[in-house]
Every structure is written in structure tokens, then in C-alpha cells.
Amino acid sequence: MKKVLILSILSFCMAGCQFQAGERYEPQQEDVNGLRLMRDGHGTYDNQELADEQFVPNQNPNFIDLTETRPDKGDDQSKLEEAIMNDDTLSLGRVNMNANHINVTVYTTEDLSKKEIKRKTKEIHENMITALPRYRIDVNLEKK
């Protein structure tokens, strides 16, 4: 049994070394250019442009769009501006959006007491929540 196993393994090894490409081998264009590159020092590649590719900013729809003109950037901020648009003494300051949380700084030109500041902040907060109910909004009212 051992002799048969050793003989079959040896015959498989010898059979594997026997086959050569011979006449069935057809050189490909890459092979011809590779030989030319080795012989002349340069290969000739026809019909190929070596220019840089055009940059496409949104190649994968799964990536977050970080360009300045992304479609969702200005919509929420304009809604916040509309929420305080009726009061001429208020202006929208820094807006920090992080997931479902927004920190908004609103500037006022009036001199308000602490009680009036709390009342005005609550009113602004209610208007902004009405405009954007899916966010948790924190409002900071400051004098300009």
C-alpha cells in the first residue's frame, strides 16, 4: 500500500513538471510592451491617456457630503432665522449643530433684566422648537 501511494504521488509530481506552454502560448499586448520596455528602456502604449482624472466630490452616496453647497446645510439654519424674524431686536448668532442637538446664540439689542431674559429665551426656544421639532435646541440669549 505504501509503495502504491508513493508511486502515485511521484507520478503526479512528474506529470506536473511535464506540461509546457509550447505552441498554445499567444503573447499578449502587455507582454510585448513589457519586452519592449526591457529592451529599449521605454514601452509604447497606444491609445492611452496619462492625464489626471477629474475630481468628483460625491463618489459614494454613503459618505457624508462636506462641501459648502451641500443641500441640507442651510435649510435648518434658515428655519431658525425664520423663528426669530418677527422681532427686529433679535439676530441669529453662532449655530452649532451636532446630530439632533443644536446650540444657538441669539443676540438682542435691548437691555433686559434677568427675568425678561428668561421669558424671552423661553419664547425664542418655543418658536424654534415649533420650526424644528426633531432637534433638541439650547438657546443662549446675549446682548450685542
Side-chain angles (χ1 to χ4, degrees):
M1 184 65 180
K2 287 182 182 179
K3 291 181 181 179
V4 173
L5 183 64
I6 291 174
L7 186 61
S8 63
I9 290 174
L10 186 62
S11 65
F12 282 126
C13 289
M14 296 299 281
C17 297
Q18 182 182 5
F19 294 112
Q20 293 180 3
E23 298 151 7
R24 290 184 230 133
Y25 176 72
E26 297 175 7
Q28 301 293 318
Q29 185 65 26
E30 293 87 7
D31 298 332
V32 172
N33 284 331
L35 289 174
R36 193 175 300 134
L37 176 66
M38 295 302 287
R39 188 176 47 234
D40 301 336
H42 57 82
T44 55
Y45 297 97
D46 299 329
N47 300 327
Q48 288 186 358
E49 292 184 21
L50 300 176
D52 291 336
E53 297 178 7
Q54 293 292 327
F55 175 70
V56 179
N58 294 328
Q59 295 177 3
N60 188 340
N62 296 327
F63 291 151
I64 297 172
D65 186 10
L66 298 176
T67 59
E68 288 294 322
T69 58
R70 67 182 191 210
D72 64 338
K73 180 180 181 185
D75 294 340
D76 293 336
Q77 190 163 346
S78 64
K79 293 283 187 188
L80 293 173
E81 289 176 2
E82 288 175 12
I84 63 170
M85 185 173 57
N86 294 335
D87 195 346
D88 294 335
T89 62
L90 299 176
S91 63
L92 191 64
R94 185 178 58 89
V95 177
N96 185 4
M97 295 181 173
N98 187 9
N100 67 338
H101 189 83
I102 299 177
N103 288 323
V104 180
T105 303
V106 179
Y107 294 108
T108 183
T109 57
E110 297 178 327
D111 289 327
L112 301 173
S113 66
K114 289 186 180 183
K115 187 176 183 180
E116 291 172 336
I117 288 176
K118 279 187 175 182
R119 183 189 57 78
K120 193 78 159 176
T121 303
K122 185 177 179 183
E123 178 185 332
I124 293 168
H125 183 263
E126 288 174 359
N127 290 342
M128 288 185 177
I129 288 293
T130 303
L132 294 169
R134 67 179 178 263
Y135 290 105
R136 195 175 101 209
I137 301 174
D138 293 331
V139 178
N140 300 323
L141 184 63
E142 296 179 6
K143 179 159 176 21
K144 193 170 192 178

Short mmCIF file of all heavy atoms in Angstrom, two decimals, residues 62-107:
data_model
loop_
_atom_site.label_atom_id
_atom_site.label_comp_id
_atom_site.label_asym_id
_atom_site.label_seq_id
_atom_site.Cartn_x
_atom_site.Cartn_y
_atom_site.Cartn_z
N ASN A 62 -22.78 57.00 0.27
CA ASN A 62 -22.79 56.67 1.69
C ASN A 62 -21.92 57.61 2.50
O ASN A 62 -22.01 57.63 3.72
CB ASN A 62 -22.31 55.23 1.90
CG ASN A 62 -23.25 54.25 1.27
OD1 ASN A 62 -24.45 54.47 1.22
ND2 ASN A 62 -22.72 53.16 0.77
N PHE A 63 -21.04 58.37 1.85
CA PHE A 63 -20.20 59.32 2.56
C PHE A 63 -20.98 60.59 2.85
O PHE A 63 -21.82 61.00 2.08
CB PHE A 63 -18.95 59.67 1.76
CG PHE A 63 -17.98 58.53 1.62
CD1 PHE A 63 -17.17 58.43 0.52
CD2 PHE A 63 -17.89 57.55 2.59
CE1 PHE A 63 -16.27 57.39 0.39
CE2 PHE A 63 -16.99 56.51 2.47
CZ PHE A 63 -16.19 56.43 1.36
N ILE A 64 -20.66 61.24 3.94
CA ILE A 64 -21.31 62.50 4.30
C ILE A 64 -20.76 63.59 3.40
O ILE A 64 -19.56 63.72 3.21
CB ILE A 64 -21.04 62.84 5.77
CG1 ILE A 64 -21.64 61.77 6.66
CG2 ILE A 64 -21.60 64.20 6.12
CD1 ILE A 64 -21.28 61.92 8.12
N ASP A 65 -21.67 64.38 2.83
CA ASP A 65 -21.27 65.48 1.96
C ASP A 65 -20.78 66.63 2.81
O ASP A 65 -21.52 67.19 3.61
CB ASP A 65 -22.47 65.90 1.11
CG ASP A 65 -22.11 66.93 0.08
OD1 ASP A 65 -20.90 67.18 -0.11
OD2 ASP A 65 -23.02 67.49 -0.54
N LEU A 66 -19.50 67.01 2.67
CA LEU A 66 -18.90 68.05 3.49
C LEU A 66 -18.64 69.33 2.72
O LEU A 66 -17.97 70.22 3.21
CB LEU A 66 -17.60 67.54 4.10
CG LEU A 66 -17.74 66.34 5.03
CD1 LEU A 66 -16.39 65.87 5.50
CD2 LEU A 66 -18.63 66.68 6.21
N THR A 67 -19.16 69.44 1.51
CA THR A 67 -18.93 70.64 0.72
C THR A 67 -19.78 71.79 1.26
O THR A 67 -20.75 71.59 1.99
CB THR A 67 -19.28 70.40 -0.76
OG1 THR A 67 -20.65 70.01 -0.85
CG2 THR A 67 -18.41 69.32 -1.35
N GLU A 68 -19.42 73.00 0.88
CA GLU A 68 -20.13 74.19 1.35
C GLU A 68 -21.54 74.26 0.77
O GLU A 68 -22.41 74.92 1.33
CB GLU A 68 -19.36 75.45 0.98
CG GLU A 68 -18.09 75.63 1.79
CD GLU A 68 -18.38 75.89 3.26
OE1 GLU A 68 -19.36 76.58 3.56
OE2 GLU A 68 -17.64 75.38 4.10
N THR A 69 -21.77 73.65 -0.36
CA THR A 69 -23.07 73.75 -1.03
C THR A 69 -23.95 72.53 -0.80
O THR A 69 -24.82 72.25 -1.59
CB THR A 69 -22.86 73.93 -2.54
OG1 THR A 69 -22.12 72.80 -3.03
CG2 THR A 69 -22.12 75.21 -2.85
N ARG A 70 -23.70 71.80 0.27
CA ARG A 70 -24.50 70.60 0.49
C ARG A 70 -25.96 71.00 0.70
O ARG A 70 -26.26 72.06 1.24
CB ARG A 70 -23.96 69.79 1.65
CG ARG A 70 -24.09 70.44 2.99
CD ARG A 70 -23.47 69.55 4.03
NE ARG A 70 -23.81 70.04 5.34
CZ ARG A 70 -23.07 69.90 6.39
NH1 ARG A 70 -21.94 69.26 6.30
NH2 ARG A 70 -23.44 70.37 7.54
N PRO A 71 -26.88 70.15 0.26
CA PRO A 71 -28.28 70.56 0.23
C PRO A 71 -28.96 70.72 1.59
O PRO A 71 -29.95 71.42 1.69
CB PRO A 71 -28.96 69.44 -0.57
CG PRO A 71 -28.04 68.29 -0.47
CD PRO A 71 -26.66 68.85 -0.32
N ASP A 72 -28.44 70.10 2.63
CA ASP A 72 -29.13 70.15 3.92
C ASP A 72 -28.56 71.18 4.88
O ASP A 72 -29.05 71.33 5.98
CB ASP A 72 -29.10 68.78 4.59
CG ASP A 72 -27.69 68.34 4.92
OD1 ASP A 72 -26.75 68.85 4.28
OD2 ASP A 72 -27.54 67.49 5.79
N LYS A 73 -27.50 71.88 4.49
CA LYS A 73 -26.82 72.76 5.44
C LYS A 73 -27.65 74.00 5.77
O LYS A 73 -27.83 74.35 6.92
CB LYS A 73 -25.47 73.19 4.88
CG LYS A 73 -24.72 74.10 5.83
CD LYS A 73 -23.39 74.48 5.26
CE LYS A 73 -22.66 75.38 6.24
NZ LYS A 73 -21.43 75.87 5.67
N GLY A 74 -28.17 74.68 4.77
CA GLY A 74 -28.82 75.96 5.00
C GLY A 74 -30.28 75.86 5.40
O GLY A 74 -30.84 76.82 5.92
N ASP A 75 -30.91 74.74 5.16
CA ASP A 75 -32.34 74.64 5.41
C ASP A 75 -32.69 74.80 6.89
O ASP A 75 -33.57 75.56 7.24
CB ASP A 75 -32.87 73.30 4.90
CG ASP A 75 -32.77 73.17 3.40
OD1 ASP A 75 -32.66 74.22 2.73
OD2 ASP A 75 -32.80 72.04 2.90
N ASP A 76 -32.00 74.08 7.75
CA ASP A 76 -32.29 74.15 9.17
C ASP A 76 -31.93 75.51 9.76
O ASP A 76 -32.65 76.04 10.60
CB ASP A 76 -31.56 73.04 9.93
CG ASP A 76 -32.08 71.67 9.54
OD1 ASP A 76 -33.23 71.58 9.09
OD2 ASP A 76 -31.33 70.69 9.69
N GLN A 77 -30.85 76.08 9.29
CA GLN A 77 -30.43 77.38 9.80
C GLN A 77 -31.43 78.47 9.35
O GLN A 77 -31.73 79.38 10.11
CB GLN A 77 -29.03 77.72 9.33
CG GLN A 77 -28.46 78.93 10.02
CD GLN A 77 -26.96 79.03 9.86
OE1 GLN A 77 -26.31 78.08 9.46
NE2 GLN A 77 -26.42 80.16 10.18
N SER A 78 -31.94 78.36 8.15
CA SER A 78 -32.94 79.35 7.71
C SER A 78 -34.23 79.22 8.50
O SER A 78 -34.92 80.21 8.75
CB SER A 78 -33.19 79.21 6.21
OG SER A 78 -33.76 77.96 5.91
N LYS A 79 -34.58 78.00 8.91
CA LYS A 79 -35.76 77.81 9.77
C LYS A 79 -35.56 78.49 11.12
O LYS A 79 -36.49 79.08 11.67
CB LYS A 79 -36.04 76.32 9.99
CG LYS A 79 -36.46 75.59 8.77
CD LYS A 79 -37.90 75.87 8.44
CE LYS A 79 -38.34 75.00 7.29
NZ LYS A 79 -39.64 75.34 6.80
N LEU A 80 -34.33 78.42 11.65
CA LEU A 80 -34.05 79.10 12.92
C LEU A 80 -34.15 80.62 12.76
O LEU A 80 -34.64 81.31 13.65
CB LEU A 80 -32.66 78.71 13.43
CG LEU A 80 -32.49 77.25 13.85
CD1 LEU A 80 -31.03 76.97 14.17
CD2 LEU A 80 -33.37 76.92 15.03
N GLU A 81 -33.68 81.13 11.62
CA GLU A 81 -33.78 82.56 11.37
C GLU A 81 -35.24 82.99 11.24
O GLU A 81 -35.62 84.06 11.70
CB GLU A 81 -33.01 82.93 10.11
CG GLU A 81 -31.51 82.86 10.29
CD GLU A 81 -30.76 83.14 9.00
OE1 GLU A 81 -31.40 83.44 7.97
OE2 GLU A 81 -29.53 83.07 9.03
N GLU A 82 -36.05 82.17 10.60
CA GLU A 82 -37.48 82.49 10.46
C GLU A 82 -38.18 82.50 11.81
O GLU A 82 -39.15 83.23 12.00
CB GLU A 82 -38.15 81.46 9.54
CG GLU A 82 -37.77 81.62 8.08
CD GLU A 82 -38.38 80.51 7.23
OE1 GLU A 82 -39.25 79.77 7.72
OE2 GLU A 82 -37.96 80.40 6.06
N ALA A 83 -37.70 81.69 12.75
CA ALA A 83 -38.32 81.63 14.07
C ALA A 83 -38.16 82.95 14.84
O ALA A 83 -39.00 83.29 15.67
CB ALA A 83 -37.75 80.48 14.88
N ILE A 84 -37.08 83.69 14.58
CA ILE A 84 -36.86 84.96 15.29
C ILE A 84 -37.05 86.16 14.38
O ILE A 84 -36.79 87.30 14.78
CB ILE A 84 -35.44 85.01 15.91
CG1 ILE A 84 -34.37 84.95 14.83
CG2 ILE A 84 -35.26 83.91 16.93
CD1 ILE A 84 -32.99 85.25 15.35
N MET A 85 -37.56 85.95 13.19
CA MET A 85 -37.69 87.01 12.19
C MET A 85 -38.69 88.09 12.60
O MET A 85 -38.53 89.26 12.22
CB MET A 85 -38.12 86.39 10.85
CG MET A 85 -38.18 87.35 9.70
SD MET A 85 -38.48 86.51 8.13
CE MET A 85 -39.99 85.63 8.45
N ASN A 86 -39.71 87.77 13.37
CA ASN A 86 -40.75 88.75 13.73
C ASN A 86 -40.25 89.82 14.69
O ASN A 86 -40.85 90.89 14.77
CB ASN A 86 -41.96 88.03 14.34
CG ASN A 86 -42.64 87.15 13.31
OD1 ASN A 86 -42.54 87.39 12.12
ND2 ASN A 86 -43.32 86.12 13.79
N ASP A 87 -39.19 89.56 15.41
CA ASP A 87 -38.66 90.52 16.38
C ASP A 87 -37.43 91.20 15.78
O ASP A 87 -36.42 90.55 15.50
CB ASP A 87 -38.29 89.79 17.68
CG ASP A 87 -38.09 90.75 18.84
OD1 ASP A 87 -37.97 91.97 18.59
OD2 ASP A 87 -38.04 90.28 19.99
N ASP A 88 -37.51 92.53 15.59
CA ASP A 88 -36.41 93.27 14.96
C ASP A 88 -35.20 93.43 15.87
O ASP A 88 -34.10 93.73 15.38
CB ASP A 88 -36.89 94.66 14.52
CG ASP A 88 -37.92 94.57 13.41
OD1 ASP A 88 -37.92 93.57 12.68
OD2 ASP A 88 -38.73 95.52 13.27
N THR A 89 -35.37 93.25 17.17
CA THR A 89 -34.25 93.42 18.10
C THR A 89 -33.36 92.18 18.19
O THR A 89 -32.32 92.23 18.80
CB THR A 89 -34.77 93.77 19.50
OG1 THR A 89 -35.57 92.67 19.98
CG2 THR A 89 -35.59 95.05 19.48
N LEU A 90 -33.78 91.09 17.58
CA LEU A 90 -33.03 89.82 17.67
C LEU A 90 -32.27 89.54 16.37
O LEU A 90 -32.74 89.87 15.28
CB LEU A 90 -33.98 88.66 17.94
CG LEU A 90 -34.79 88.70 19.23
CD1 LEU A 90 -35.75 87.52 19.30
CD2 LEU A 90 -33.88 88.70 20.44
N SER A 91 -31.10 88.96 16.53
CA SER A 91 -30.34 88.49 15.37
C SER A 91 -29.70 87.15 15.73
O SER A 91 -29.31 86.92 16.88
CB SER A 91 -29.27 89.50 14.96
OG SER A 91 -28.33 89.67 16.00
N LEU A 92 -29.61 86.31 14.74
CA LEU A 92 -29.08 84.97 14.95
C LEU A 92 -27.56 85.02 14.97
O LEU A 92 -26.94 85.62 14.10
CB LEU A 92 -29.56 84.04 13.84
CG LEU A 92 -29.33 82.56 14.03
CD1 LEU A 92 -30.11 82.04 15.22
CD2 LEU A 92 -29.74 81.81 12.79
N GLY A 93 -26.97 84.40 15.95
CA GLY A 93 -25.51 84.34 16.07
C GLY A 93 -24.99 82.98 15.67
O GLY A 93 -25.43 82.40 14.67
N ARG A 94 -24.10 82.44 16.46
CA ARG A 94 -23.47 81.15 16.19
C ARG A 94 -24.49 80.02 16.34
O ARG A 94 -25.24 79.95 17.30
CB ARG A 94 -22.33 80.94 17.17
CG ARG A 94 -21.52 79.69 16.94
CD ARG A 94 -20.38 79.58 17.93
NE ARG A 94 -20.84 79.58 19.30
CZ ARG A 94 -21.18 78.48 19.98
NH1 ARG A 94 -21.12 77.32 19.39
NH2 ARG A 94 -21.58 78.56 21.23
N VAL A 95 -24.49 79.13 15.37
CA VAL A 95 -25.36 77.95 15.39
C VAL A 95 -24.46 76.73 15.32
O VAL A 95 -23.71 76.55 14.37
CB VAL A 95 -26.35 77.95 14.20
CG1 VAL A 95 -27.18 76.69 14.20
CG2 VAL A 95 -27.23 79.17 14.24
N ASN A 96 -24.53 75.87 16.34
CA ASN A 96 -23.72 74.67 16.40
C ASN A 96 -24.65 73.46 16.35
O ASN A 96 -25.40 73.22 17.29
CB ASN A 96 -22.87 74.67 17.68
CG ASN A 96 -21.92 73.52 17.74
OD1 ASN A 96 -21.82 72.74 16.81
ND2 ASN A 96 -21.23 73.40 18.86
N MET A 97 -24.61 72.72 15.24
CA MET A 97 -25.47 71.55 15.06
C MET A 97 -24.63 70.29 15.24
O MET A 97 -23.59 70.14 14.60
CB MET A 97 -26.08 71.54 13.66
CG MET A 97 -27.03 72.65 13.40
SD MET A 97 -27.70 72.51 11.76
CE MET A 97 -28.89 73.79 11.79
N ASN A 98 -25.08 69.41 16.10
CA ASN A 98 -24.40 68.15 16.34
C ASN A 98 -25.45 67.07 16.50
O ASN A 98 -26.11 66.99 17.53
CB ASN A 98 -23.50 68.24 17.56
CG ASN A 98 -22.65 67.02 17.75
OD1 ASN A 98 -22.60 66.17 16.88
ND2 ASN A 98 -21.98 66.93 18.88
N ALA A 99 -25.62 66.26 15.48
CA ALA A 99 -26.63 65.20 15.44
C ALA A 99 -28.01 65.81 15.63
O ALA A 99 -28.45 66.60 14.82
CB ALA A 99 -26.31 64.11 16.44
N ASN A 100 -28.71 65.46 16.71
CA ASN A 100 -30.05 66.02 16.92
C ASN A 100 -30.04 67.12 17.97
O ASN A 100 -31.07 67.44 18.55
CB ASN A 100 -31.02 64.91 17.34
CG ASN A 100 -30.70 64.34 18.70
OD1 ASN A 100 -29.58 64.45 19.18
ND2 ASN A 100 -31.68 63.73 19.32
N HIS A 101 -28.89 67.71 18.20
CA HIS A 101 -28.75 68.74 19.22
C HIS A 101 -28.24 70.03 18.56
O HIS A 101 -27.28 70.00 17.80
CB HIS A 101 -27.75 68.28 20.29
CG HIS A 101 -27.69 69.15 21.48
ND1 HIS A 101 -28.59 69.06 22.51
CD2 HIS A 101 -26.86 70.16 21.80
CE1 HIS A 101 -28.29 69.97 23.42
NE2 HIS A 101 -27.24 70.65 23.00
N ILE A 102 -28.90 71.15 18.88
CA ILE A 102 -28.50 72.45 18.33
C ILE A 102 -28.26 73.42 19.48
O ILE A 102 -29.11 73.57 20.35
CB ILE A 102 -29.57 73.04 17.39
CG1 ILE A 102 -29.83 72.12 16.20
CG2 ILE A 102 -29.15 74.41 16.89
CD1 ILE A 102 -30.92 72.61 15.27
N ASN A 103 -27.10 74.07 19.46
CA ASN A 103 -26.82 75.18 20.36
C ASN A 103 -26.90 76.46 19.54
O ASN A 103 -26.16 76.62 18.57
CB ASN A 103 -25.43 75.07 20.99
CG ASN A 103 -25.36 73.96 22.01
OD1 ASN A 103 -26.32 73.73 22.74
ND2 ASN A 103 -24.25 73.27 22.05
N VAL A 104 -27.78 77.37 19.95
CA VAL A 104 -28.00 78.60 19.21
C VAL A 104 -27.69 79.79 20.11
O VAL A 104 -28.14 79.84 21.26
CB VAL A 104 -29.47 78.71 18.72
CG1 VAL A 104 -29.69 79.97 17.94
CG2 VAL A 104 -29.84 77.51 17.89
N THR A 105 -26.94 80.75 19.58
CA THR A 105 -26.72 82.00 20.26
C THR A 105 -27.53 83.07 19.54
O THR A 105 -27.39 83.25 18.33
CB THR A 105 -25.23 82.39 20.26
OG1 THR A 105 -24.49 81.32 20.85
CG2 THR A 105 -24.99 83.67 21.04
N VAL A 106 -28.40 83.73 20.28
CA VAL A 106 -29.23 84.79 19.72
C VAL A 106 -28.82 86.09 20.40
O VAL A 106 -28.70 86.16 21.62
CB VAL A 106 -30.74 84.51 19.96
CG1 VAL A 106 -31.59 85.64 19.40
CG2 VAL A 106 -31.14 83.18 19.33
N TYR A 107 -28.58 87.12 19.57
CA TYR A 107 -28.18 88.42 20.09
C TYR A 107 -29.37 89.37 20.09
O TYR A 107 -30.18 89.37 19.16
CB TYR A 107 -27.04 89.00 19.25
CG TYR A 107 -25.77 88.21 19.35
CD1 TYR A 107 -25.33 87.44 18.28
CD2 TYR A 107 -25.00 88.23 20.51
CE1 TYR A 107 -24.16 86.70 18.36
CE2 TYR A 107 -23.83 87.49 20.60
CZ TYR A 107 -23.43 86.74 19.54
OH TYR A 107 -22.27 86.01 19.62
#
